[in-house]
Amino acid sequence: MIFTQQWIREWLDDSIDPSLLTAERLVFQLTMAGLEVDAHGPVAAAFSGVIVAEVTDVRPHPDADKLRICSVNDGQQTLQVVCGAPNVRVGLKVPYATIGAELPGAEAGKTFRIKKARLRGVESDGMLCSAAELGLSEAADGLFELPADAPAGTDIRNYLELDDSFFELDLTPNRGDCLGINGVAREIAALNDVKVAGPQIPSVAATIEDTFPVRLAAPDACPRYLGRVVRNIDVTAATPLWMQEKLRRCGLRSIDPVVDITNYVLLELGQPMHAFDLSSLNQEICVRMASADDELVLLDGKTVQPDVDTLLIADASGPLALAGVMGGEHSGVTEATRDVFLECAFFAPLAVVGRARRYGLHTDASHRYERGVDFEIQGLAMERATALLLEICGGEAGPVIEQLGDLPARREVTLKPENVLKLLGMAMSSDEIVRILNSLGMESIEVSDTEMRFSVPSYRFDISIEADLIEELARVHGYDKLPVTQPAVRMQLPDQPEADVGMARLRERLVTLGYQQVITYSFVEPELMASVQPSPPPVPLQNPISADMSVMRTSLWPGLISTLKYNVNRQQPRVRIFETGQVFLRREGDHEQTIRQPEMLAGLVYGSRQPAEWSQGREAVDYFDLKGDLETLLALTGHGDAFTFESAHHPALHSGQSARVVLNGRHVGHIGALSPQLQRELDLSQRVFVFEIELDSLLSATVPQFSPLSRFPEVSRDLAVVLDQQVTSGALREYLQAEAGEFLVGLRIFDVFQGDALGKNKKSVALGLTWQHPSRTLGDDDINVIIERCVKGLEDKFNAKLRK
């Protein structure tokens, strides 16, 4: 939202001290009140010596086809000026830079001085200026034409009141009430304890009986719609210079008087309006939701096929406009228009939000409707626009017609003064509370020392609870004036159970292993999500930021993969990253669409095993590197042996290098290499390995318990068996731990061998077993019995043979 000092002054009481409205004070006040001033500065570049002059004669230049020799009256004398502008003519009032005038230069902050010159042999006493040459616009195709009644000799800065400043507010979405001059004026008036005294907007009496029927087919989406017929207007009339200047200073260019008037009302009152060419309308205006076969060509020439949840303004022939966004080309005002139908409506924010973005649009109207406009100001805006239209373009106005739907009700909020002290750390008198809230438009309904009730104005959609009122008190009183106090709270250290692992330890361990933490969006690209995890289907967003961020993630892998691609595309050959966060899982076939949001931990490795260094090799990372890192994490729980890895299929993983992680019979995660097909689709030259595991399974640990060390020696035996390749090491370990007796203290696999000598689909696994008795030395007889039992059991269960 952009506003200017002069326009704001028109809305404030004349008795206000000018020192309260200096640029520096306004910037400080508004920013401290939560309306951050993003930029401010003068509305025109620095120049001097430019006055209003009248062209009294124009004749050809003898030596240049495009130049003209002009006689210019500056109010005191007639001077000769050579000019090449195509629109120079007798009787034109223009800005005239006299000899010695300083005009804006090509570089910011630089000026150049006007001197007497000879152009193709003809003397020129000064220069006739365009708007661009005065720094009032970026480009111009001719001289800046001033009104015919502009007094010659008047300084152009005084005539146009260019000693003015603009302010650009960076408003938060909840402050849509400040998207108009009236709203900003209310804030400034409240901050300075003065009255708002805006222009008088009288009702315009109807001089004709003409109306056009309006029907609300979507009363919830459009609770109020006003329309008015205005006939016999002159669209070719010139927009007054004062209006053009106000629009320019607020960032809008002048187009034609009808559009300029609707834009002026939008800036002044924060109420979007639209004008239809009445001759293009068929039978009636119908505010309805779109149907499947609707199509509309917008004012910018873009053709859209609106979705069925899009609100339209239509007639009997079809759509006329995207409600609250943009009008259609067919019904727009042209130079041939003589009769218009003015529209002024209140659209429910939820009926408009996201629609403009969906169709690749962003307009001043949609920006305001999405945040909520005042649902009681439409009548005032209609009268303002009608009066301006009749004043500038002439014509005759019909009566205002109004259709009402389900309008919002004005809210009432109760405030207890004692809670002001609790939240702000300072007490406020009842009179001060009432004064501040009344100045913001809150009407007092009931006031007592213990409780106050206020009616919230229709333009404040963001106020609904007591804390909102207290925030308003803090804003207007001044955040910088709130007392600073030290909290007097008895601090108590929280219990830290030993069985809690905590995210800090998990992150620390992963960072120690060389990983970097990343944080990615919870919404991801649908195609990538479908490739990684097609089931369950992801939850679609109703109002996505963009098409490639339109579904909620069901896995953390898409975010990690996108981060990997970003880094690989920037020549990063080695990537080790992890992320923690929620995924959003919808049960298939669940009519209520219950969504679970479990916390997950995921990791990804890519590239070489070790960073590039003279003493390190460049071996590529493999599945077992990642599995080892994951097992290091599992060990933090103190029951790492309770986790097992089972071969399992996953659509995103390599069929021969993937496993699911199981804890006490429950599936808690996956680990593996990305499938070659997905790797090719992602255009990645090296293998990618990923894991994902439920965070809850890692956050609780088994508390270590003391057991005395045995004073007796250990006994070790090595055992090598030949068995089928598909037998997993986990199955071997599980069986041997059960069969090797209670005094087994160590079991490890120290060698795996495959070769033709063993036979097809066979492997040799060598295991080291260690026993230790707490109260005596184990002899060979004790161990031999155990070894024989283990060998016999391996043969029966796994068809294993003792390797010779």
Side-chain angles (χ1 to χ4, degrees):
M1 173 65 192
I2 301 176
F3 70 93
T4 65
Q5 270 179 308
Q6 289 183 4
W7 202 350
I8 282 295
R9 283 174 180 161
E10 295 176 13
W11 278 78
L12 297 175
D13 195 322
D14 292 338
S15 62
I16 187 172
D17 186 347
S19 65
L20 298 178
L21 297 180
T22 62
E24 294 74 15
R25 181 177 173 83
L26 283 177
V27 169
F28 177 79
Q29 271 196 333
L30 291 172
T31 301
M32 290 303 296
L35 309 178
E36 182 180 355
V37 178
D38 201 36
H40 79 285
V43 299
F47 64 85
S48 62
V50 182
I51 61 176
V52 178
E54 181 180 2
V55 179
T56 59
D57 182 53
V58 178
R59 57 189 184 277
H61 191 290
D63 295 323
D65 293 339
K66 294 184 178 181
L67 295 180
R68 301 288 185 271
I69 302 173
C70 305
S71 297
V72 178
N73 185 348
D74 66 357
Q76 295 181 350
Q77 59 182 327
T78 299
L79 302 165
Q80 178 174 282
V81 178
V82 178
C83 176
N87 63 331
V88 64
R89 61 187 183 274
V90 174
L92 183 66
K93 294 285 183 71
V94 294
Y96 166 53
T98 60
I99 301 299
E102 291 190 350
L103 297 184
E107 298 181 19
K110 302 289 186 178
T111 61
F112 70 91
R113 186 179 295 274
I114 298 296
K115 302 177 181 177
K116 182 176 287 191
R118 296 182 68 87
L119 299 178
R120 294 289 185 95
V122 177
E123 286 191 358
S124 180
D125 296 321
M127 173 180 170
L128 303 184
C129 302
S130 68
E133 288 162 339
L134 297 180
L136 301 180
S137 67
E138 294 183 358
D141 54 4
L143 296 177
F144 185 4
E145 299 189 16
L146 300 175
D149 60 355
T154 304
D155 189 298
I156 199 72
R157 295 194 72 90
N158 295 332
Y159 178 71
L160 295 178
E161 298 180 338
L162 294 179
D163 293 326
D164 190 10
S165 298
F166 77 90
F167 301 83
E168 184 174 357
L169 297 180
D170 185 11
L171 297 173
T172 52
N174 65 313
R175 291 311 305 270
D177 62 295
C178 289
L179 287 170
I181 296 295
N182 59 341
V184 178
R186 279 192 301 262
E187 287 289 312
I188 294 175
L191 294 172
N192 292 283
D193 195 19
V194 297
K195 299 291 185 182
V196 175
Q200 295 297 319
I201 304 177
S203 297
V204 178
T207 56
I208 57 175
E209 299 298 323
D210 296 18
T211 62
F212 195 79
V214 173
R215 179 167 58 90
L216 296 185
D220 292 336
C222 178
R224 171 172 273 152
Y225 190 98
L226 276 67
R228 189 172 210 169
V229 171
V230 182
R231 292 194 179 276
N232 302 319
I233 66 170
D234 180 11
V235 179
T236 63
T239 302
L241 185 60
W242 63 266
M243 182 177 288
Q244 292 186 41
E245 270 297 287
K246 284 186 174 180
L247 294 177
R248 179 190 71 81
R249 297 177 193 188
C250 292
L252 298 179
R253 64 184 181 89
S254 176
I255 298 174
D256 63 55
V258 177
V259 174
D260 291 349
I261 288 167
T262 57
N263 283 339
Y264 181 84
V265 174
L266 175 139
L267 290 174
E268 185 179 49
L269 302 179
Q271 171 63 52
M273 294 188 67
H274 187 67
F276 296 102
D277 186 332
L278 184 62
S279 65
S280 68
L281 303 183
N282 186 6
Q283 295 184 18
E284 68 169 359
I285 289 286
C286 179
V287 185
R288 61 173 175 83
M289 306 307 294
S291 58
D293 56 348
D294 281 330
E295 186 174 277
L296 175 64
V297 180
L298 299 173
L299 283 171
D300 62 357
K302 183 178 182 179
T303 301
V304 297
Q305 292 180 322
D307 297 331
V308 294
D309 63 343
T310 299
L311 186 66
L312 297 180
I313 310 299
D315 64 5
S317 302
L320 300 172
L322 292 178
V325 179
M326 184 180 287
E329 186 177 64
H330 164 69
S331 59
V333 174
T334 66
E335 291 184 358
T337 299
R338 292 295 173 264
D339 307 318
V340 296
F341 179 78
L342 288 179
E343 167 197 273
C344 188
F346 168 70
F347 300 115
L350 291 179
V352 180
V353 67
R355 305 307 191 274
R357 189 182 302 114
R358 182 184 302 176
Y359 303 113
L361 303 169
H362 180 79
T363 63
D364 290 318
S366 67
H367 187 75
R368 285 161 173 79
Y369 277 125
E370 287 179 347
R371 286 153 178 78
V373 302
D374 183 354
F375 57 82
E376 294 181 353
I377 204 173
Q378 286 71 43
L380 188 67
M382 179 64 78
E383 299 297 348
R384 181 64 159 164
T386 305
L388 291 171
L389 188 61
L390 297 180
E391 177 186 338
I392 296 169
C393 301
E396 301 169 296
V400 177
I401 58 172
E402 181 178 24
Q403 294 292 335
L404 295 177
D406 302 321
L407 277 171
R410 292 186 65 164
R411 294 184 296 273
E412 294 182 2
V413 180
T414 299
L415 171 66
K416 294 182 179 180
E418 63 185 50
N419 290 332
V420 176
L421 175 61
K422 291 179 181 178
L423 291 182
L424 301 186
M426 61 172 286
M428 280 189 181
S429 67
S430 298
D431 291 342
E432 179 71 359
I433 292 173
V434 171
R435 182 193 67 79
I436 290 176
L437 295 182
N438 285 170
S439 70
L440 293 170
M442 320 287 174
E443 296 178 5
S444 309
I445 299 175
E446 181 182 333
V447 176
S448 69
D449 292 337
T450 58
E451 189 171 281
M452 304 176 180
R453 194 151 50 94
F454 295 90
S455 175
V456 179
S458 54
Y459 48 81
R460 290 302 298 269
F461 282 80
D462 59 320
I463 294 179
S464 58
I465 60 175
E466 182 186 42
D468 296 331
L469 294 182
I470 296 176
E471 181 185 5
E472 296 301 296
L473 295 175
R475 286 195 318 107
V476 176
H477 179 79
Y479 289 124
D480 56 321
K481 298 176 183 176
L482 296 179
V484 178
T485 58
Q486 297 291 337
V489 180
R490 179 175 294 177
M491 307 300 291
Q492 184 175 2
L493 293 176
D495 294 334
Q496 186 65 41
E498 287 187 72
D500 289 351
V501 175
M503 268 306 305
R505 287 188 64 193
L506 295 175
R507 281 194 293 263
E508 181 183 7
R509 182 60 55 91
L510 283 166
V511 170
T512 303
L513 293 170
Y515 289 77
Q516 291 181 308
Q517 185 175 11
V518 299
I519 299 174
T520 64
Y521 284 107
S522 297
F523 5 97
V524 296
E525 183 181 358
E527 291 76 14
L528 180 57
M529 191 70 258
S531 299
V532 170
Q533 189 157 297
S535 180
V539 179
L541 292 171
Q542 293 184 354
N543 182 26
I545 294 176
S546 61
D548 59 353
M549 302 176 72
S550 59
V551 298
M552 303 298 289
R553 65 189 180 192
T554 60
S555 168
L556 300 181
W557 287 346
L560 295 180
I561 291 171
S562 297
T563 304
L564 169 67
K565 280 186 60 64
Y566 183 89
N567 282 271
V568 169
N569 291 340
R570 285 155 183 78
Q571 290 79 49
Q572 293 297 321
R574 183 175 185 270
V575 177
R576 299 170 75 89
I577 54 179
F578 76 95
E579 180 177 14
T580 62
Q582 290 182 335
V583 298
F584 305 85
L585 304 176
R586 180 171 58 184
R587 294 186 180 90
E588 293 186 71
D590 188 345
H591 297 296
E592 297 182 359
Q593 295 194 351
T594 304
I595 299 173
R596 295 190 302 110
Q597 302 180 40
E599 291 276 349
M600 306 294 287
L601 169 65
L604 178 149
V605 294
Y606 174 88
S608 60
R609 179 175 290 133
Q610 299 291 341
E613 190 178 341
W614 69 270
S615 62
Q616 302 287 352
R618 293 185 178 271
E619 298 89 354
V621 70
D622 62 22
Y623 170 84
F624 294 103
D625 292 313
L626 183 65
K627 183 172 180 283
D629 292 341
L630 179 56
E631 287 176 330
T632 302
L633 282 183
L634 302 180
L636 291 177
T637 67
H639 52 261
D641 291 341
F643 292 88
T644 58
F645 295 82
E646 299 178 356
S647 178
H649 171 73
H650 190 285
L653 302 181
H654 192 297
S655 57
Q657 294 190 45
S658 63
R660 63 182 179 185
V661 185
V662 178
L663 173 62
N664 298 326
R666 186 172 68 89
H667 171 214
V668 296
H670 269 100
I671 183 173
L674 281 190
S675 69
Q677 178 183 352
L678 182 55
Q679 182 181 329
R680 287 192 297 270
E681 292 175 0
L682 297 171
D683 193 24
L684 296 169
S685 60
Q686 300 184 58
R687 303 296 304 278
V688 182
F689 299 91
V690 292
F691 76 82
E692 184 173 42
I693 188 168
E694 292 181 8
L695 195 57
D696 286 347
S697 65
L698 300 175
L699 295 180
S700 59
T702 300
V703 179
Q705 293 183 351
F706 171 77
S707 59
L709 295 175
S710 176
R711 295 180 292 123
F712 298 91
E714 295 177 344
V715 180
S716 298
R717 293 287 189 274
D718 293 340
L719 191 63
V721 293
V722 179
L723 37 66
D724 294 335
Q725 280 186 0
Q726 63 266 27
V727 178
T728 64
S729 61
L732 282 177
R733 292 175 59 90
E734 183 180 2
Y735 177 77
L736 289 175
Q737 283 173 339
E739 290 295 320
E742 59 179 318
F743 304 123
L744 182 71
V745 295
L747 172 60
R748 62 190 180 90
I749 298 175
F750 62 86
D751 185 49
V752 178
F753 172 76
Q754 292 176 271
D756 294 338
L758 298 177
K760 188 177 181 181
N761 296 327
K762 295 289 184 179
K763 64 181 177 182
S764 170
V765 179
L767 305 104
L769 297 91
T770 303
W771 292 267
Q772 188 177 32
H773 199 282
S775 58
R776 66 182 179 90
T777 300
L778 293 172
D780 289 341
D781 293 340
D782 298 319
I783 301 303
N784 289 338
V785 171
I786 296 174
I787 290 293
E788 290 177 5
R789 185 170 67 244
C790 289
V791 171
K792 182 68 169 61
L794 290 172
E795 183 177 353
D796 295 340
K797 187 172 181 62
F798 302 108
N799 194 27
K801 304 295 184 183
L802 194 64
R803 187 176 177 188
K804 305 298 185 183

